[in-house]
Amino acid sequence: MTFSPATAPLLAVEVPESPVHALPHWLDSTSYEDLVSLRREVHRYPEVGWGEFMATYRLGELFETLGFTVKVGREFIDPQFVMGRDRDEVFDSEAKAVEDGISSQWLRRMGGITGCLATFDTGRKGQNYGFRFELDAIKMTEPEVAQHIPFREGFSSMRRGTMHACAHDGHQAVAMQLARFIVENKDRLSGRFTFVFQPGEEGSRGASPIVKSGAVDDIDVLLHGHIATDRPFGEVYAAPEKFFCTTKLDFTFEGQESHAGMLPQKGRNALLAAANASLMLMALPRHSDGSTRVNVGRLIAGEGRNVVASHAKMEVEVRGANETINHDLTREAIMRAQGAAMSYGVTCEHTIMGEASDFVPDESLTQMITVCGRRARFVHHLAPRVSLNTSDDVTLICRRVQERGGRAGYFIVGGALPRPHEHSELDFDERALVTLYDIYTNLVIGLSGRW
């Protein structure tokens, strides 16, 4: 199957000429229409974390066609390190990919594991420049109202219950055109360019297996840009700060069922143990060394109204301003859950489903991102810092690169739609694609020393 962009009508937008055209001998054939149509096609086929089979196939096929060396799934991710992978979700997503025409050859190469690592070697000595992009969507039903642009323009999710709402579709579109730009200008570049397409960013599940598998150990410079639906369009932030470390935990409580009327004393209530644990977790003490966050996001338990509940599952996350705080919270959360289980005579086991760390961008890259941001189209305000107060597991990849002597940078491109626009937080101004693309292409030029 050959990937073709969506044919939905595009909004009329006046787009200035690419800043690359002001530089002698550099080529840039990418248009606004290219970026938008690619983004809209990706948007139509969202996939949950570790179930991104169509996305992996689409990117793998394209990048091989462009001359990249491509690895997918098990070819670069060791399954023993995979976390937070729901077998039923993955099976369902793979079946849908088969229905949508995925190549059986590519499916065999993946071996049930998604993700793509694509490297282009210029054949000239130089550093390995890495770019990280996310593949997954979120479990949410896309609004079907005229005010929601994807619905109105005919590129809504084809998979009910799953949608791209965090701009990962836009990131993939930009990545495809960035790869074309690199190939188009290969005679002016040196070194290697590696694209890391990560599964399972939602829930911080995909970066850790990639790092532990050694897939990014030869990258010298790592860059990641993110379109933010909650930041004003036209603004760029060159070095976000206050990344929270986080640990995602699943707790499983197992008790003893019994009839609630005839033999209540025989039961050991896993539901009450989990409910008690949830209250104690939400009451975890704050930390004097920095900010903390705790959330019990989901609790499923019981068999029926007349049965003492024998099982319960609870989904929890903790976040801390640094690794020490996060580790303290994680340890305390596990202890409290186990204590609640003991008090009700049930067992409690925990599984780490995801993780991310804090991260400080390298100043030299922040300065270069600032310069590139000034050159990008549609930018009217560029700020050096912004407090995120959230988590992104690309921090694990960034820190791995830094630990091995490399550099890492992270930047944000504002893409918010006007707030009166219904469901504005679930979509972004597509002109932000141009801004993100421009910053990346100028970084490629700048890092090559060819300004």
Side-chain angles (χ1 to χ4, degrees):
M1 184 181 79
T2 301
F3 173 65
S4 58
T7 57
L10 305 184
L11 301 175
V13 174
E14 185 175 339
V15 181
E17 186 179 52
S18 168
V20 172
H21 293 161
L23 300 173
H25 311 302
W26 287 90
L27 305 174
D28 186 3
S29 60
T30 292
S31 68
Y32 168 74
E33 290 76 17
D34 291 332
L35 290 166
V36 172
S37 60
L38 285 169
R39 178 259 168 158
R40 292 186 175 192
E41 181 64 17
V42 175
H43 187 91
R44 294 174 68 229
Y45 295 95
E47 297 166 295
V48 297
W50 292 116
E52 310 97 330
F53 293 97
M54 282 299 295
T56 299
Y57 163 48
R58 179 192 302 121
L59 292 161
E61 185 177 60
L62 172 66
F63 275 69
E64 277 201 348
T65 300
L66 290 174
F68 282 68
T69 299
V70 172
K71 296 180 181 179
V72 293
R74 290 174 184 261
E75 294 175 350
F76 78 104
I77 298 176
D78 190 330
Q80 69 173 317
F81 300 126
V82 171
M83 60 172 63
R85 181 176 180 270
D86 186 301
R87 186 175 300 176
D88 292 337
E89 284 185 352
V90 169
F91 180 81
D92 181 60
S93 189
E94 188 172 7
K96 289 177 180 176
V98 171
E99 292 177 5
D100 290 332
I102 191 172
S103 160
S104 58
Q105 176 187 359
W106 282 94
L107 206 56
R108 285 193 298 271
R109 285 182 61 179
M110 293 178 220
I113 304 294
T114 53
C116 178
L117 190 75
T119 301
F120 185 83
D121 192 335
T122 66
R124 286 175 287 279
K125 186 177 180 180
Q127 292 189 308
N128 186 1
Y129 303 103
F131 309 94
R132 180 270 207 165
F133 302 92
E134 315 93 324
L135 296 179
D136 58 336
I138 62 173
K139 289 183 279 188
M140 179 178 184
T141 299
E142 185 148 27
E144 295 182 350
V145 294
Q147 296 88 342
H148 183 57
I149 294 174
F151 179 75
R152 185 178 72 230
E153 300 297 326
F155 63 96
S156 286
S157 169
M158 300 288 287
R159 297 181 173 179
R160 188 167 182 81
T162 308
M163 73 167 291
H164 277 293
C166 298
H168 295 178
D169 50 346
H171 300 171
Q172 291 176 49
V174 168
M176 287 186 251
Q177 293 306 103
L178 178 62
R180 294 182 190 278
F181 174 84
I182 289 170
V183 173
E184 198 172 27
N185 293 280
K186 61 183 179 181
D187 294 338
R188 297 164 187 82
L189 299 171
S190 59
R192 291 176 291 156
F193 295 86
T194 297
F195 288 65
V196 182
F197 292 102
Q198 180 199 311
E201 187 277 332
E202 303 294 344
S204 303
R205 297 173 287 162
S208 179
I210 288 175
V211 169
K212 291 176 180 176
S213 298
V216 298
D217 284 356
D218 62 345
I219 290 178
D220 300 300
V221 177
L222 192 284
L223 294 162
H224 173 68
H226 201 300
I227 295 173
T229 61
D230 62 341
R231 300 289 174 177
F233 169 71
E235 296 191 1
V236 170
Y237 307 90
E241 57 188 4
K242 294 188 178 179
F243 287 91
F244 274 121
C245 297
T246 185
T247 303
K248 317 299 186 185
L249 295 157
D250 279 4
F251 291 99
T252 302
F253 298 82
E254 294 294 340
Q256 177 62 52
E257 69 178 54
S258 68
H259 194 281
M262 293 186 295
L263 293 169
Q265 74 279 8
K266 298 289 187 181
R268 294 292 179 265
N269 200 314
L271 186 157
L272 292 183
N276 191 33
S278 70
L279 295 176
M280 291 195 293
L281 290 176
M282 293 303 296
L284 278 169
R286 303 305 172 248
H287 205 287
S288 61
D289 291 341
S291 299
T292 62
R293 301 286 191 274
V294 179
N295 189 56
V296 178
R298 196 177 188 207
L299 173 57
I300 304 172
E303 290 77 33
R305 72 176 69 248
N306 64 338
V307 180
V308 174
S310 64
H311 71 274
K313 181 180 179 181
M314 185 165 63
E315 298 178 9
V316 176
E317 69 169 19
V318 298
R319 305 183 195 230
N322 58 50
E323 286 188 342
T324 299
I325 296 172
N326 187 63
H327 289 162
D328 287 349
L329 284 173
T330 302
R331 183 174 58 251
E332 186 76 12
I334 293 170
M335 183 174 67
R336 291 192 176 204
Q338 291 175 340
M342 289 177 63
S343 69
Y344 282 86
V346 307
T347 63
C348 175
E349 295 184 354
H350 73 275
T351 303
I352 295 178
M353 304 296 288
E355 57 188 2
S357 66
D358 55 347
F359 159 66
V360 178
D362 283 277
E363 183 60 28
S364 61
L365 289 179
T366 297
Q367 292 176 8
M368 183 165 284
I369 290 167
T370 301
V371 173
C372 295
R374 292 196 181 105
R375 292 178 54 82
R377 287 168 285 184
F378 299 119
V379 177
H380 61 73
H381 176 72
L382 198 149
R385 299 283 186 270
V386 62
S387 296
L388 286 187
N389 294 318
T390 189
S391 305
D392 186 334
D393 65 349
V394 71
T395 54
L396 297 176
I397 299 176
C398 292
R399 288 186 62 165
R400 180 63 173 175
V401 169
Q402 290 175 329
E403 288 165 0
R404 296 181 64 82
R407 296 179 293 159
Y410 188 116
F411 61 97
I412 286 179
V413 172
L417 293 166
R419 284 302 174 188
H421 182 90
E422 189 172 355
H423 305 298
S424 61
E425 72 281 3
L426 303 181
D427 195 21
F428 62 88
D429 190 316
E430 290 178 319
R431 291 175 295 175
L433 296 168
V434 174
T435 304
L436 182 63
Y437 173 78
D438 282 352
I439 294 176
Y440 272 130
T441 54
N442 277 277
L443 281 168
V444 167
I445 296 170
L447 289 167
S448 71
R450 295 297 185 91
W451 268 332

